[in-house]
Amino acid sequence: MWCVVYAGEGREERIEDLIKSVLPDSVYTRCFHLVKHKALKRRGILRDVVENYLPGYVFIETAKPQTVQAILKKTPGRLLFSDEWSVSMLTGEEEALFGLLVDEKGEIGISVVRISADVEKKRKNEYISGPLAKVSDQVVSVNLHHRYAEIGGDLTGDKTPIKLSFRFDGEEFEEVLY
């Protein structure tokens, strides 16, 4: 199961450290905030741009979500959060999608795509690696110019498609920007 904690934008790393100090190691597997890699080409240079995805949220992987919730709610003086703090759990559907998109470090990586043509000369996208390879059946649209594909899953709760970045097969990044 996954617990989600709203910590406030810009406080993710500090809250992760605090959560790790409050929770016993036996209660959780990992604690992280979600980051997303994005392929961005400007002036002919392909860059890997890393940005927070769902700013303000910290995720806790656990087999004991009720224990995690109970411990965090008992944190003295509400050290973790403001008055609007909350601890919730992902639904089964959200967790399944989350498991397909996110790697062990809590990152949504960049997929590799190959464009080919079928017998009738129609363009076909082949998702070779990365998150898009795992959810290729959920792709609802592709923007080749901006290098992203939208999938029809819902991770953010607002029913907007999730944009997953890709690079073309054979392209290499010249820079990584954090």
Side-chain angles (χ1 to χ4, degrees), residues 6-29:
Y6 180 71
E9 192 170 340
R11 301 178 61 201
E12 298 89 356
E13 289 180 16
R14 194 172 85 212
I15 298 304
E16 283 174 40
D17 291 340
L18 190 54
I19 289 171
K20 290 174 184 176
S21 72
V22 171
L23 294 178
D25 291 341
S26 60
V27 173
Y28 73 101
T29 309

Short mmCIF file of all heavy atoms in Angstrom, two decimals, residues 6-29:
data_model
loop_
_atom_site.label_atom_id
_atom_site.label_comp_id
_atom_site.label_asym_id
_atom_site.label_seq_id
_atom_site.Cartn_x
_atom_site.Cartn_y
_atom_site.Cartn_z
N TYR A 6 0.45 15.11 2.53
CA TYR A 6 0.60 16.45 1.99
C TYR A 6 1.44 17.26 2.97
O TYR A 6 1.06 17.45 4.12
CB TYR A 6 -0.74 17.15 1.75
CG TYR A 6 -0.53 18.53 1.19
CD1 TYR A 6 -0.08 18.69 -0.12
CD2 TYR A 6 -0.70 19.66 1.97
CE1 TYR A 6 0.16 19.95 -0.64
CE2 TYR A 6 -0.47 20.93 1.46
CZ TYR A 6 -0.03 21.06 0.15
OH TYR A 6 0.23 22.30 -0.36
N ALA A 7 2.60 17.71 2.49
CA ALA A 7 3.55 18.40 3.35
C ALA A 7 3.67 19.88 3.05
O ALA A 7 4.21 20.64 3.84
CB ALA A 7 4.92 17.75 3.21
N GLY A 8 3.22 20.29 1.90
CA GLY A 8 3.38 21.68 1.48
C GLY A 8 4.52 21.79 0.48
O GLY A 8 5.57 21.18 0.65
N GLU A 9 4.28 22.54 -0.56
CA GLU A 9 5.27 22.68 -1.64
C GLU A 9 6.59 23.24 -1.13
O GLU A 9 6.62 24.17 -0.34
CB GLU A 9 4.71 23.58 -2.74
CG GLU A 9 5.52 23.55 -4.00
CD GLU A 9 4.83 24.25 -5.16
OE1 GLU A 9 3.60 24.43 -5.10
OE2 GLU A 9 5.53 24.61 -6.10
N GLY A 10 7.69 22.62 -1.57
CA GLY A 10 9.01 23.06 -1.18
C GLY A 10 9.54 22.43 0.10
O GLY A 10 10.68 22.63 0.47
N ARG A 11 8.72 21.66 0.78
CA ARG A 11 9.10 21.05 2.06
C ARG A 11 9.31 19.55 1.94
O ARG A 11 9.52 18.88 2.94
CB ARG A 11 8.02 21.32 3.09
CG ARG A 11 7.75 22.79 3.34
CD ARG A 11 6.65 23.01 4.34
NE ARG A 11 7.03 22.41 5.62
CZ ARG A 11 6.16 22.07 6.57
NH1 ARG A 11 4.89 22.26 6.38
NH2 ARG A 11 6.57 21.54 7.69
N GLU A 12 9.26 19.01 0.73
CA GLU A 12 9.25 17.56 0.55
C GLU A 12 10.46 16.85 1.19
O GLU A 12 10.28 15.89 1.94
CB GLU A 12 9.19 17.20 -0.94
CG GLU A 12 7.95 17.67 -1.65
CD GLU A 12 8.08 19.07 -2.24
OE1 GLU A 12 9.12 19.73 -2.04
OE2 GLU A 12 7.11 19.51 -2.89
N GLU A 13 11.66 17.31 0.91
CA GLU A 13 12.86 16.63 1.43
C GLU A 13 12.94 16.72 2.94
O GLU A 13 13.30 15.75 3.61
CB GLU A 13 14.11 17.18 0.77
CG GLU A 13 14.23 16.76 -0.69
CD GLU A 13 15.48 17.30 -1.37
OE1 GLU A 13 16.41 17.75 -0.66
OE2 GLU A 13 15.51 17.26 -2.61
N ARG A 14 12.63 17.86 3.48
CA ARG A 14 12.67 18.04 4.94
C ARG A 14 11.65 17.12 5.62
O ARG A 14 11.93 16.50 6.65
CB ARG A 14 12.40 19.50 5.28
CG ARG A 14 12.76 19.84 6.71
CD ARG A 14 12.67 21.31 6.97
NE ARG A 14 11.28 21.61 7.31
CZ ARG A 14 10.68 22.75 7.04
NH1 ARG A 14 11.31 23.70 6.41
NH2 ARG A 14 9.43 22.94 7.40
N ILE A 15 10.46 17.03 5.03
CA ILE A 15 9.42 16.18 5.62
C ILE A 15 9.79 14.70 5.49
O ILE A 15 9.53 13.91 6.39
CB ILE A 15 8.04 16.48 4.98
CG1 ILE A 15 7.64 17.93 5.28
CG2 ILE A 15 6.99 15.51 5.44
CD1 ILE A 15 7.61 18.30 6.75
N GLU A 16 10.40 14.32 4.36
CA GLU A 16 10.87 12.93 4.21
C GLU A 16 11.82 12.57 5.34
O GLU A 16 11.69 11.50 5.95
CB GLU A 16 11.61 12.75 2.88
CG GLU A 16 10.74 12.64 1.68
CD GLU A 16 11.57 12.61 0.41
OE1 GLU A 16 12.63 11.96 0.38
OE2 GLU A 16 11.14 13.26 -0.56
N ASP A 17 12.79 13.44 5.61
CA ASP A 17 13.76 13.18 6.68
C ASP A 17 13.06 13.04 8.02
O ASP A 17 13.38 12.17 8.82
CB ASP A 17 14.81 14.30 6.74
CG ASP A 17 15.73 14.31 5.54
OD1 ASP A 17 15.82 13.27 4.84
OD2 ASP A 17 16.35 15.37 5.27
N LEU A 18 12.08 13.91 8.27
CA LEU A 18 11.36 13.86 9.53
C LEU A 18 10.53 12.58 9.63
O LEU A 18 10.52 11.92 10.68
CB LEU A 18 10.46 15.09 9.65
CG LEU A 18 9.80 15.31 11.01
CD1 LEU A 18 10.83 15.33 12.12
CD2 LEU A 18 9.03 16.62 11.00
N ILE A 19 9.86 12.20 8.56
CA ILE A 19 9.07 10.97 8.56
C ILE A 19 9.96 9.77 8.82
O ILE A 19 9.64 8.89 9.62
CB ILE A 19 8.30 10.81 7.23
CG1 ILE A 19 7.16 11.83 7.14
CG2 ILE A 19 7.76 9.39 7.07
CD1 ILE A 19 6.48 11.89 5.79
N LYS A 20 11.12 9.74 8.18
CA LYS A 20 12.06 8.63 8.37
C LYS A 20 12.57 8.55 9.81
O LYS A 20 12.85 7.47 10.31
CB LYS A 20 13.23 8.76 7.40
CG LYS A 20 12.85 8.50 5.96
CD LYS A 20 14.01 8.78 5.02
CE LYS A 20 13.59 8.62 3.58
NZ LYS A 20 14.67 8.99 2.64
N SER A 21 12.66 9.70 10.47
CA SER A 21 13.12 9.68 11.86
C SER A 21 12.01 9.27 12.82
O SER A 21 12.28 8.77 13.91
CB SER A 21 13.68 11.05 12.25
OG SER A 21 12.65 12.01 12.38
N VAL A 22 10.75 9.48 12.44
CA VAL A 22 9.61 9.16 13.30
C VAL A 22 9.15 7.72 13.14
O VAL A 22 8.79 7.06 14.11
CB VAL A 22 8.44 10.14 13.01
CG1 VAL A 22 7.18 9.72 13.73
CG2 VAL A 22 8.82 11.55 13.40
N LEU A 23 9.17 7.21 11.90
CA LEU A 23 8.68 5.86 11.64
C LEU A 23 9.78 4.82 11.83
O LEU A 23 10.89 5.00 11.34
CB LEU A 23 8.16 5.74 10.20
CG LEU A 23 6.92 6.53 9.82
CD1 LEU A 23 6.61 6.31 8.34
CD2 LEU A 23 5.73 6.15 10.68
N PRO A 24 9.48 3.71 12.52
CA PRO A 24 10.45 2.62 12.61
C PRO A 24 10.66 1.99 11.23
O PRO A 24 9.74 1.93 10.42
CB PRO A 24 9.80 1.62 13.56
CG PRO A 24 8.57 2.25 14.09
CD PRO A 24 8.25 3.45 13.26
N ASP A 25 11.87 1.51 10.96
CA ASP A 25 12.19 0.89 9.67
C ASP A 25 11.27 -0.28 9.34
O ASP A 25 11.02 -0.57 8.17
CB ASP A 25 13.64 0.42 9.63
CG ASP A 25 14.63 1.58 9.62
OD1 ASP A 25 14.21 2.71 9.28
OD2 ASP A 25 15.81 1.35 9.95
N SER A 26 10.76 -0.95 10.34
CA SER A 26 9.91 -2.13 10.13
C SER A 26 8.52 -1.76 9.61
O SER A 26 7.78 -2.62 9.16
CB SER A 26 9.77 -2.92 11.43
OG SER A 26 9.18 -2.10 12.43
N VAL A 27 8.16 -0.48 9.65
CA VAL A 27 6.81 -0.05 9.29
C VAL A 27 6.70 0.34 7.82
O VAL A 27 5.64 0.26 7.23
CB VAL A 27 6.37 1.12 10.20
CG1 VAL A 27 5.05 1.71 9.76
CG2 VAL A 27 6.29 0.66 11.64
N TYR A 28 7.81 0.77 7.20
CA TYR A 28 7.73 1.23 5.81
C TYR A 28 8.91 0.70 5.00
O TYR A 28 9.95 0.36 5.55
CB TYR A 28 7.66 2.75 5.75
CG TYR A 28 8.97 3.45 6.07
CD1 TYR A 28 9.78 3.93 5.06
CD2 TYR A 28 9.38 3.62 7.39
CE1 TYR A 28 10.98 4.56 5.35
CE2 TYR A 28 10.56 4.25 7.69
CZ TYR A 28 11.37 4.72 6.67
OH TYR A 28 12.54 5.34 6.95
N THR A 29 8.72 0.66 3.69
CA THR A 29 9.76 0.20 2.77
C THR A 29 10.57 1.36 2.24
O THR A 29 11.79 1.31 2.18
CB THR A 29 9.12 -0.55 1.57
OG1 THR A 29 8.23 -1.54 2.08
CG2 THR A 29 10.18 -1.20 0.71
#
